[in-house]
Amino acid sequence: MTTESQTLALLPGEEYIELYKVLKVQSMTSGGGEAKMVISEGLVTVDGEVETRKRKKVIAGQVVSYNGESVSIVA
């Protein structure tokens, strides 16, 4: 399986982005509802660890992965 890697820059003044929003904004899922569902099913990882909290605060330097795609969060 090949892993596609992208970056997502936090907006000025933002310290974090909620996990489900990363999947939604990066079009890794069709919308927020699907994002919350795949997170609760344990299909999403943050820095290689399964994460089931939909509103987990993802900060710069962390990597979110789902379905063969990865997104690095940058400031």
Side-chain angles (χ1 to χ4, degrees):
M1 175 196 312
T2 59
T3 301
E4 237 181 88
S5 188
Q6 306 169 4
T7 59
L8 174 62
L10 295 174
L11 296 175
E14 276 190 334
E15 294 181 19
Y16 66 88
I17 183 170
E18 293 173 333
L19 181 55
Y20 83 93
K21 290 181 182 175
V22 174
L23 301 181
K24 184 174 82 169
V25 170
Q26 292 297 109
S27 299
M28 295 166 82
T29 60
S30 60
E34 182 185 348
K36 290 176 180 178
M37 186 178 72
V38 298
I39 293 167
S40 68
E41 290 176 358
L43 302 175
V44 178
T45 62
V46 176
D47 292 340
E49 299 289 322
V50 172
E51 182 56 69
T52 57
R53 294 174 290 174
K54 301 167 194 74
R55 294 186 177 272
K56 163 144 175 71
K57 295 176 180 176
V58 183
I59 59 172
Q62 292 187 304
V63 177
V64 175
S65 300
Y66 167 66
N67 200 25
E69 293 183 64
S70 293
V71 178
S72 298
I73 309 303
V74 294

